[in-house]
Amino acid sequence: MNNSSRGLAYLPFIVIPLLAAGCQKSEPPPAVTAAPEPAAEAVAVAPAPEPAVPAYPVTAWFGDTHVHTGWSADAGMDGAITTPEDAYRFARGEVVKSNTGLDAQISKPYDWFLVSDHSDGMGTINQIIDGNPEMLANPIIKGWSEALNSGDEARAAAAKSELIIMQSEERLPPEVTDPKWMKTAWEKTVEAAEKYYQPGEFTTFIAYEWTVNADGGNNLHRNVIFRDGADRGLQVLPLTTFQTQDPADLWAWMAAYEEKTGGRMLAIPHNGNMSNGRMFEEQQFDGSPMTREWAEQRQRYERSYELTQYKGQSESHPALSPEDEFSDWDLWDRGNLIMVSKPEGALKYEYWREALKSGMRIRNELGVNPFTLGAVAGTDTHTGLSSVEEDNFFGKFKTLEPSNKERWNFPLISGKDGNYMGWEMSASGVTGVWSVANTREAIWDAMERRETFATTGSRMSLRFFGSFGFTDETLAGDWVATGYDQGVPMGGMLSTAPEGYSPTFIVAASKDPDGANLDRIQVVKGWVDADNAAHEKIYDVIWSDERAVGDDGRLPPVGNTVNMETGEYDNSIGAQQLLGVFTDPDFDPALQAVYYVRVLEIPTPRWTLFDKLRNGTEMDPEVPLVQQERGFSSPIWYTP
């Protein structure tokens, strides 16, 4: 891989800017300035940059916010043997041995990376595998140890599923919940992050996952990311769900860490799609009413949300957005983490788009929006191998690595009311960060201010700026500098529109240098009306090829060049870059609104097609073989 693909600076755009329907030309309003965030949104001011640091971000740095190695109990129970050091070496582009003995290497190294092994049971899995007598005195653990050492992948997978169910139901053996095993494992985890941190070249973060499976499998997981190094990170041990399952207690623990050390932390929730309606429920964990203080704490510590990963997407759902033709993708919507079926009405409280709309409604009630969440993505690999390349996908668990030639039909998660099969894994996702430098402080600060975007694995890059005075003429000059100088970037807030003006947005995307062309850029808008009811609308802003919106108001599909016999496609359709200005044609200055960008690539082969061709496998008709990779910006909010 050449150096130009390590962190993407924005390429000069060569396409002619197009304006979407509803865009208007106007003189910029006088003295338009970006609105400061409300007091509850206040963030620490980053240290003054070094002289060589640019005035604003010009490079998108790519990384993974969600990685497990064989040191996570469930990964180790499935047979994973990779260490945090293996994960970092793989992320840097080195060849490592997979858990099944294959040579593994990614074609595009990451710019930054972290290992987020589960805090629950941290340090126990090696004791179980190695047959620690204290562990084996418990017959359940003895059975797990025998399964793991049997060489039988089906037995190992069943042991892993039993562990997950018992953790979800708070029935783990006391030997596993004993915190004495954690200290050494945590010290080695921190040591690995420090060893591989090379400021300016490869950034690592100290991190862990807090894994709440409430009420028997309702996924309320958070990845906790430190801004700091070992000098602060080793002053604490990770919080476990054996101590508490209440997210408010996690935020209090984070606040105590900051008070004790002077450091900073973020928590990134994920997989609301498997929470059975609890991720964005409009009450506190114990069922008590939301309070302003509760909303402020959630807003302070949870700045982003993981939209996509191996276990599907939590961005949108067709049942919630029936007019959205692109909401039906990578759905994991049949139950929670142990496959307890969803109760009626649960979907509304599981997805990011709904949370963005609900947050504005809650702000009208509490005075604070608890769901001001930016966009990030991660893999949630449990192999230590963060792989999102469709033709080089190592799967979620060791039992689903490519050495299993029938992995498409191998149970991934089994539980009470069904299972998810291997083919349902998504080779996703990646986070892009607009940061002034590739360092812990700079990238963490960008995450904190939500200047991030999520993709399903593509290294496309997205820009999104909001103001009240952008026009097509803006794009003729240095529109990135203008975006920062006269507006706000993704993650920012606008307020109090000047009389007669609507929000205007610069939307831009560049294709992955080694990937597929782009189909279109859309703006997704949510708002609450005067009766505090939530709404949404999707606008096609700019698109490739000679297409026109039809009588039904929809843009025709871009086409499909995928060869189902060879797994090849070509870029004879689509565009390398798209750039435009969008003006909200339905704007009401008295109403709150939120906007984010969605970018679609042209259709490309999915990992299942590569497996089918490579292994000569016949797959069921329900297995998707082609997909459209996509990306999502963090939102821009408008408050009157």
Side-chain angles (χ1 to χ4, degrees):
M1 157 177 193
N2 61 44
N3 291 333
S4 65
S5 57
R6 291 296 300 276
L8 292 180
Y10 230 82
L11 302 174
F13 278 81
I14 57 175
V15 297
I16 299 174
L18 300 179
L19 295 180
C23 292
Q24 60 187 22
K25 296 183 180 180
S26 61
E27 294 300 319
V32 174
T33 58
E37 294 190 5
E41 291 275 0
V43 298
V45 177
E50 298 290 336
V53 173
Y56 53 81
V58 296
T59 303
W61 308 99
F62 291 92
D64 188 345
T65 61
H66 195 170
V67 175
H68 297 273
T69 72
W71 290 13
S72 280
D74 54 346
M77 288 286 286
D78 193 69
I81 58 175
T82 50
T83 68
E85 288 209 23
D86 294 327
Y88 285 124
R89 289 178 51 233
F90 184 76
R92 284 159 49 97
E94 298 180 31
V95 177
V96 303
K97 285 292 183 183
S98 81
N99 300 283
T100 57
L102 301 175
D103 284 339
Q105 185 179 29
I106 50 175
S107 65
K108 292 183 178 182
Y110 288 105
D111 301 306
W112 56 269
F113 200 73
L114 58 83
V115 170
S116 57
D117 279 320
H118 298 292
S119 60
D120 283 9
M122 183 177 284
T124 63
I125 187 61
N126 290 336
Q127 306 296 325
I128 296 172
I129 294 172
D130 294 342
N132 181 305
E134 183 178 346
M135 289 284 188
L136 298 195
N138 186 300
I140 295 174
I141 297 176
K142 183 179 180 181
W144 291 345
S145 181
E146 291 172 350
L148 294 175
N149 288 295
S150 69
D152 185 330
E153 291 193 345
R155 284 185 69 188
K160 171 210 50 179
S161 294
E162 183 180 25
L163 172 82
I164 293 171
I165 291 172
M166 293 186 74
Q167 189 268 356
S168 299
E169 296 178 345
E170 300 181 70
R171 296 189 292 111
L172 282 174
E175 293 84 355
V176 175
T177 63
D178 191 329
K180 71 182 180 182
W181 310 107
M182 177 187 288
K183 186 174 185 296
T184 299
W186 178 242
E187 289 172 349
K188 290 181 178 179
T189 296
V190 172
E191 179 184 334
E194 296 295 273
K195 176 179 178 179
Y196 287 91
Y197 180 33
Q198 295 181 292
E201 296 294 329
F202 183 70
T203 291
T204 62
F205 291 95
I206 298 169
Y208 71 91
E209 179 178 316
W210 184 66
T211 313
V212 174
N213 292 314
D215 310 317
N218 294 337
N219 189 114
L220 298 176
H221 303 181
R222 269 85 170 168
N223 290 330
V224 179
I225 303 177
F226 293 63
R227 188 180 187 267
D228 314 302
D231 57 333
R232 289 171 171 155
L234 288 176
Q235 293 186 42
V236 296
L237 290 176
L239 188 70
T240 71
T241 69
F242 311 143
Q243 298 164 272
T244 180
Q245 291 193 339
D246 190 337
D249 292 337
L250 172 66
W251 309 328
W253 179 89
M254 295 168 74
Y257 165 84
E258 293 181 340
E259 177 68 23
K260 176 181 180 179
T261 69
R264 297 295 307 279
M265 286 180 167
L266 291 173
I268 301 177
H270 63 266
N271 278 121
N273 61 337
M274 304 186 80
S275 71
N276 277 9
R278 295 214 60 184
M279 180 60 75
F280 298 116
E281 61 187 355
E282 295 179 19
Q283 60 183 10
Q284 297 192 53
F285 182 78
D286 62 3
S288 60
M290 298 177 293
T291 65
R292 182 183 179 96
E293 179 183 12
W294 175 90
E296 288 173 344
Q297 288 297 96
R298 185 161 190 170
Q299 185 192 82
R300 172 178 170 81
Y301 288 110
E302 299 188 1
R303 307 289 290 176
S304 295
Y305 183 59
E306 184 181 284
L307 302 193
T308 174
Q309 58 135 280
Y310 288 180
K311 299 198 304 293
Q313 58 94 359
S314 299
E315 182 255 343
S316 60
H317 192 282
L320 302 171
S321 303
E323 299 302 314
D324 181 359
E325 60 186 307
F326 296 108
S327 63
D328 188 5
W329 64 287
D330 287 354
L331 295 178
W332 280 51
D333 59 359
R334 299 197 299 276
N336 68 8
L337 195 65
I338 63 172
M339 293 305 295
V340 174
S341 297
K342 292 190 183 300
E344 185 176 353
L347 290 175
K348 180 180 179 182
Y349 304 102
E350 297 189 343
Y351 288 85
W352 181 59
R353 188 185 300 175
E354 287 299 308
L356 294 177
K357 295 185 293 184
S358 297
M360 295 184 292
R361 178 171 45 77
I362 294 170
R363 181 180 181 274
N364 284 337
E365 299 165 358
L366 298 180
V368 176
N369 181 344
F371 304 143
T372 51
L373 297 164
V376 298
T379 58
D380 193 16
T381 178
H382 279 57
T383 65
L385 309 175
S386 175
S387 57
V388 295
E389 299 162 329
E390 303 292 330
D391 61 349
N392 187 32
F393 178 48
F394 273 81
K396 180 173 173 64
F397 288 110
K398 176 253 187 181
T399 47
L400 290 151
E401 287 190 2
S403 53
N404 180 353
K405 298 186 184 303
E406 293 293 322
R407 62 177 175 165
W408 73 275
N409 201 34
F410 190 88
L412 170 57
I413 292 178
S414 298
K416 294 182 178 297
D417 298 329
N419 54 49
Y420 283 103
M421 303 303 292
W423 64 264
E424 296 179 270
M425 290 185 294
S426 309
S428 182
V430 172
T431 297
V433 176
W434 289 106
S435 169
V436 294
N438 187 7
T439 64
R440 273 184 186 157
E441 297 79 9
I443 290 179
W444 191 97
D445 290 346
M447 290 183 183
E448 206 273 348
R449 67 176 183 265
R450 299 176 297 244
E451 200 168 351
T452 59
F453 58 93
T455 86
T456 52
S458 168
R459 299 289 180 94
M460 69 170 76
S461 57
L462 317 182
R463 285 286 201 183
F464 187 39
F465 294 99
S467 183
F468 296 105
F470 295 145
T471 69
D472 53 342
E473 285 82 7
T474 305
L475 305 180
D478 187 344
W479 54 267
V480 174
T482 301
Y484 282 107
D485 185 53
Q486 298 182 16
V488 297
M490 61 180 75
M493 294 196 172
L494 299 170
S495 70
T496 316
E499 185 175 354
Y501 287 88
S502 297
T504 57
F505 301 94
I506 298 173
V507 297
S510 289
K511 70 180 286 291
D512 182 328
D514 302 312
N517 278 349
L518 306 177
D519 170 4
R520 69 186 76 190
I521 297 179
Q522 298 176 309
V523 168
V524 180
K525 177 189 177 182
W527 74 97
V528 289
D529 63 24
D531 296 321
N532 220 21
H535 307 271
E536 69 177 56
K537 189 171 182 178
I538 298 168
Y539 304 87
D540 286 308
V541 177
I542 183 170
W543 51 87
S544 67
D545 305 305
E546 298 298 324
R547 292 178 284 166
V549 175
D551 294 338
D552 60 357
R554 293 190 172 182
L555 187 66
V558 68
N560 184 357
T561 68
V562 176
N563 185 322
M564 304 300 289
E565 303 300 320
T566 65
E568 297 173 318
Y569 72 95
D570 64 68
N571 280 324
S572 59
I573 58 175
Q576 294 185 21
Q577 300 168 331
L578 295 171
L579 172 65
V581 170
F582 170 73
T583 300
D584 182 356
D586 306 303
F587 178 63
D588 184 333
L591 303 178
Q592 292 183 80
V594 61
Y595 307 82
Y596 67 90
V597 160
R598 176 170 63 187
V599 179
L600 296 168
E601 290 185 354
I602 66 172
T604 50
R606 192 173 184 265
W607 71 267
T608 43
L609 178 57
F610 289 112
D611 265 28
K612 177 180 180 180
L613 297 176
R614 185 183 296 126
N615 300 323
T617 306
E618 287 299 320
M619 297 183 179
D620 294 342
E622 65 178 333
V623 178
L625 303 175
V626 177
Q627 64 181 359
Q628 281 190 269
E629 302 264 17
R630 56 198 70 197
F632 308 89
S633 76
S634 288
I636 293 174
W637 288 263
Y638 169 79
T639 55

